Amino acid sequence: MSRKRNALLSVVLSGTLLLSGFGSALAGNAQQNDGPPQLTGLDSIDDVVAAMTLQEKAALVVGGNKEVLEEIDNEIIGNQATRVPGAAGQTQAIPRLGIPSIVLADGPMGVRINPTRPNDDNTYYATKFPAPNVLAATWDRDLVYEVGEATSHELREYGIDLLLAPGMNIQSYLLNGRNSEYFSEDPYLTGRMATALVSGVEDHGIGTTIKHFAAYNQRADNNIDAIVSQRALREIYLKGFEMTVKDADPWAIMDSYNKINGTWATENKDLLTHILREDWGFNGFAMTDWEFGARNIAKQMEAGTNLLMPGRPQQSTAIVNAVNDGILDEAVLDRNVKDILRIIVQTPTFQGYEYSNDPDLAAGAEVARKAAADGMVLLKNEEQTLPLDSDTTVSLFGTPSIETMTGGRGSALVHAEYQIGIAEGLQNAGFTINEELYEKYETYVETLRATDEYKQTPGNFFVSTFPTLPEMDVSEEAITAAGNSDVGIIVLATEFGSYGNDRSLEDFYLSDSKQAMIDDVTAAFHAEGKPVIAILNVEGPLEVVSWRDKVDAILLSWQPGQEFGNAVADVLSGKVNPSGKLPQTFPKDYTDLPYSETYPGTGSFIYEEDIYVGYRYNTTFDVEPAYEFGFGLSYTEYEYSNIRVNRNGNFKDKIQVFATVENVGEVAGREAVQVYVSKPDGKLEKPEIELKAFDKTRELRPGKKENLRFELDAKNLASFDEELSAWVLEAGTYEVRVGASSTDIRGTATFTVAEDVVVEVVNDVLAPQIEFERLSKFAQ
Ligand code: BGC
């Protein structure tokens, strides 16, 4: 455990832990002499449930919120808790039995609560951490664990019991409007990152909710029916959830809004019981997403959804009626109640934790800055344009240099105490900013925002939209700036979309005014022999091929949270040597994607590309991307050697892979080393490669080496055979490819599996109800 982790732990543990809260006053005494049983801990649950009335059970499984939920009102969606203002929801208390209400808060970029409260001078800010795709780009599980710990501390000190994160759907579709709430297009990377985050939070006594379960891969239509094969479900869409459930034991899981192969996720017994509980051994409870009672309550309860969120009174009434009418077995309700109570007894609220409302936000900011800088990906660096000398004078171009997007919309929003823009960050690091140009941009942005066309739409939870600004004509400004500054930095941002939608294709392709800005700035600076750097302040991949040759360096900053400007400056100055690598492929063109003509579908959407998601598609079908999965440059160079496997390449239960990485450049740095496996085709066809392990070296000084060891076991290597409903490791020769990216392979080794091994037989469920053609590398 790192020193920082210890420090944070002591902050968390030094808070007062009073045994005077709900239930704990009666600790060890489940039955009061003259009253009903009290919830005192795990042992008391059976007695408490036996004493609950049907109405009380029906109350516990329905979130308890503001009375306004009699009417759905978009203004308050995602802001339902009364105990902690601005938290997304809470459960209902049953004081008679010592059952407290617990509080649930979003989300994937940090704690989402209201920053201020009426008649209260205190503030309630939280750290805005980098978006999960930035965390994934660090390839650093320890760092993601630290983000989890820091988040846990803030949750605890604000009186929150359960985090509604991490989001861990697969970024299989480029325009999904919620991709930045997720980690990666790869299930293994997703599973490892989610496991680290969940462990970081839960090791400190706060729960997490992995979401959105499952196959929720578009925002265009929340209610879409995702038609997907059993194999693609098991290998791609469920795999990360499976890893996280097994490795980190999360307290809760959130059902997605959509249908899967014809059945709503939240009514889906195959998913929630046969897979989640029976196949994987999930121990926590499942809740709906914030869907306000849109589904069949008896089916939800029966399927294994324990808690209906955010909860409306009529849902409790419907449950009571369903039991009285014989539609819902009360034993099912009892089971669902018990699952929730098993978690409630672990919460800080139940344990009477006296929270301070004063978390250590400076500690959070430090972790956020480190994660932001480590997750940035250097995509191009011609002639060592970067790092910049500290006495550099910088001209900033692009309206996002004023309106920096730190990330988080809708439920991923975080109210941070401050957000560092690019200019401020560069100045903090000692760079000189071309003030005249900066002020021009400020005036330009302010003026446009004051017009009807570009003002912010007065929003509610879903539509808080800034129309994207056209870029200013800088043909003259660029010439002046090239004369009086050393380097031009162009900031390119994702469009300001609305939370309720997907990204648009206009967001993937740069607008004409942005292209013109790139032309003007590069022409002017290059005429003076000065470089131009592009910073991509985006939530996901965008088209780069049409313009990338014009600039000298490209830094993908993503939407990295409140420390944006400082983290950018850390990388540009070389204080941090970039080590981030892409968790998602950058295609050359949208039309290169196998689903470009069918996505997002209407009513239903067929996952025809099947298991060939992301780089699995590019590498199998020889479609060259703009930047491949796993790609990222550094200010130094690494040499890989000694790549080999043990046991003379004879696989038995597991196999170890070894690699040595040496820093052969001139500055210290860290390298994310990736282990891909190319499996033999057998009865099952296989993608060209699959990521099966990764690690990040410690900081290596020039000339220093690190020996890395990876272990691949049978389950990790197996493929899903639908006929057998089993994970099978097929016989044949497997090639291990160790590399710096999915295509920059530095060495290979092989091992042999002597005969087919049925690694695990699972429930044969969730088959599509219709036939469809799946992409196959053997198709004509
Ligand atoms: C989102 C969830 C979120 C919930 C509570 C829903 O609209 O889909 O991800 O946790 O709101 O804010």
Side-chain angles (χ1 to χ4, degrees), residues 77-80 88-89 105-108 112 164-165 178 181-182 211-212 216 219 222 254 257 289-290 410-411 461-462 499:
I77 288 180
N79 175 8
Q80 264 89 47
D106 285 308
R112 183 171 69 84
L164 299 172
R178 299 191 70 174
E181 292 183 54
Y182 308 137
K211 69 184 187 186
H212 307 86
Y216 177 59
R219 185 66 169 175
N222 263 346
M254 186 188 289
Y257 287 119
D289 200 340
W290 267 229
S411 53
F461 185 69
F462 286 108
Y499 173 60

Side-chain angles (χ1 to χ4, degrees), residues 587-601:
K588 281 190 167 162
D589 202 342
Y590 190 72
T591 52
D592 286 349
L593 299 167
Y595 51 81
S596 63
E597 289 187 1
T598 53
Y599 180 88

Side-chain angles (χ1 to χ4, degrees), residues 134-179:
V134 191
L135 298 183
T138 67
W139 297 70
D140 185 344
R141 294 189 300 272
D142 292 340
L143 183 54
V144 175
Y145 183 93
E146 277 184 48
V147 170
E149 285 190 303
T151 308
S152 183
H153 165 68
E154 292 177 25
L155 290 161
R156 175 180 277 270
E157 293 311 321
Y158 280 135
I160 296 156
D161 300 286
L162 199 61
L163 176 69
L164 299 172
M168 50 183 303
N169 296 84
I170 296 298
Q171 294 162 342
S172 46
Y173 301 113
L174 188 133
L175 298 181
N176 180 2
R178 299 191 70 174
N179 270 348

Side-chain angles (χ1 to χ4, degrees), residues 6 21 45 56 236 245 316 330 366 373 443 504 532 628 682 712 740:
N6 270 326
I45 290 176
E56 284 169 338
I236 307 289
V245 165
S316 293
E330 193 166 350
E366 204 181 305
T443 310
S504 67
V532 175
E628 77 273 10
L712 310 177

